[in-house]
Amino acid sequence: MARKRWFTLLKNATLGVAAATALAGLAAPADAAPPPSTDGTQVIGGSRAAQGEFPWMVRLSMGCGGALYTSQIVLTAAHCVDRTGSNTSITATTGVVDLQSSSAKKVKSTYVYRSPTYDTTGGDWALIKLAAPVSGATTLPIASTSANNSGTFTVAGWGAATEGGAQQRYLLKTQVPFVSDATCKAQGGEYSGLIANAEICAGNVESGGVDTCQGDSGGPMFRRDNTNAWVQVGITSWGIGCARAHAPGVYTEVSSFASAIASAASKI
């Protein structure tokens, strides 16, 4: 499949697994961090999340993001991992917005479950089991119905703040508006092949300017539900470039896979 934007671009930018690990492992000096932004609107350009604002966020050592589904399982994108099976090579960093913080909690993986339908009918999701539960973890519930699959969403990650740019030391956030399947498909090219009920689009179609970017793959797209609680509705999956007009971000439609995710999580 061609839908491997964020992680593939990360590799194509010569970062690869080893370099991405170095970046996630805090190779950047302190004075290289972007200044705080007060506009609260853009990952592209920078809007820094506050410590503790999104405590379920996870940075994965291969250069992807994720969210704590349980205290010991990370939900991420299928295209971030190779296969289902034992895997002790991934390090999950949690508990901080600053990847250089001494308070960061780092836990190794033990097992990966990759969606069996990703390469056929869609479903860009995967689970990573950690060697031990994250102490004091806050988890992010996933949507089990389509009730929250519209409106304005929040996305966050440590990916590039400019298209083709470097990975970030600080967690950045943005808000992206829902884009209907029909409008998303109408953008043409890869978008015309959008998989209904497996993918959901979000972004400013006409003007661009807000988006996830390379290195944000696997991170959550979430919003408040009718009880004002956060719920995950998407997983950063693919798109064309970063924050371009007529090129919205495409996310895994989590509600379509909620039962499969729950079933897999109960068995690993």
Side-chain angles (χ1 to χ4, degrees):
M1 297 176 70
R3 298 174 174 84
K4 296 186 179 181
R5 168 183 61 172
W6 301 141
F7 190 49
T8 300
L9 283 186
L10 182 65
K11 291 191 289 185
N12 289 346
T14 70
L15 292 175
V17 172
T21 301
L23 284 166
L26 324 178
D31 60 5
S37 170
T38 57
D39 63 13
T41 59
Q42 294 190 42
V43 168
I44 305 299
S47 176
R48 193 181 297 180
Q51 177 61 36
E53 188 173 3
F54 309 125
W56 52 78
M57 290 296 300
V58 178
R59 179 64 171 174
L60 299 169
S61 57
M62 80 288 276
C64 283
L68 287 172
Y69 177 74
T70 72
S71 63
Q72 199 171 353
I73 296 176
V74 177
L75 177 62
T76 187
H79 75 257
C80 288
V81 299
D82 293 330
R83 61 179 179 82
T84 294
S86 298
N87 187 321
T88 59
S89 68
I90 302 168
T91 299
T93 300
T94 70
V96 294
V97 296
D98 177 2
L99 293 177
Q100 292 192 25
S101 172
S102 59
S103 299
K105 300 172 183 176
K106 296 180 181 290
V107 188
K108 283 285 191 180
S109 62
T110 60
Y111 192 86
V112 168
Y113 182 91
R114 190 176 191 261
S115 167
T117 61
Y118 171 59
D119 292 317
T120 54
T121 57
D124 191 5
W125 63 270
L127 299 173
I128 298 175
K129 186 173 183 179
L130 305 178
V134 176
S135 60
T138 298
T139 59
L140 179 60
I142 65 171
S144 58
T145 73
S146 61
N148 292 298
N149 289 357
S150 61
T152 299
F153 310 115
T154 297
V155 289
W158 289 271
T162 58
E163 187 174 327
Q167 303 295 282
Q168 298 298 296
R169 169 183 169 180
Y170 292 96
L171 180 66
L172 301 180
K173 63 180 180 179
T174 188
Q175 289 188 316
V176 288
F178 168 73
V179 177
S180 71
D181 287 354
T183 298
C184 199
K185 288 184 177 183
Q187 305 315 303
E190 288 285 327
Y191 293 101
S192 62
L194 186 79
I195 305 173
N197 300 320
E199 298 173 322
I200 182 171
C201 298
N204 291 331
V205 174
E206 296 300 324
S207 60
V210 291
D211 202 359
T212 43
C213 201
Q214 66 264 19
D216 288 324
S217 273
M221 180 170 75
F222 46 98
R223 56 159 290 173
R224 298 283 189 178
D225 65 12
N226 60 4
T227 68
N228 204 40
W230 289 114
V231 61
Q232 181 173 355
V233 298
I235 300 169
T236 303
S237 183
W238 68 276
I240 306 300
C242 300
R244 299 181 189 179
H246 302 287
V250 182
Y251 302 81
T252 307
E253 192 167 320
V254 169
S255 60
S256 295
F257 303 99
S259 60
I261 292 169
S263 176
S266 70
K267 297 173 183 176
I268 64 174

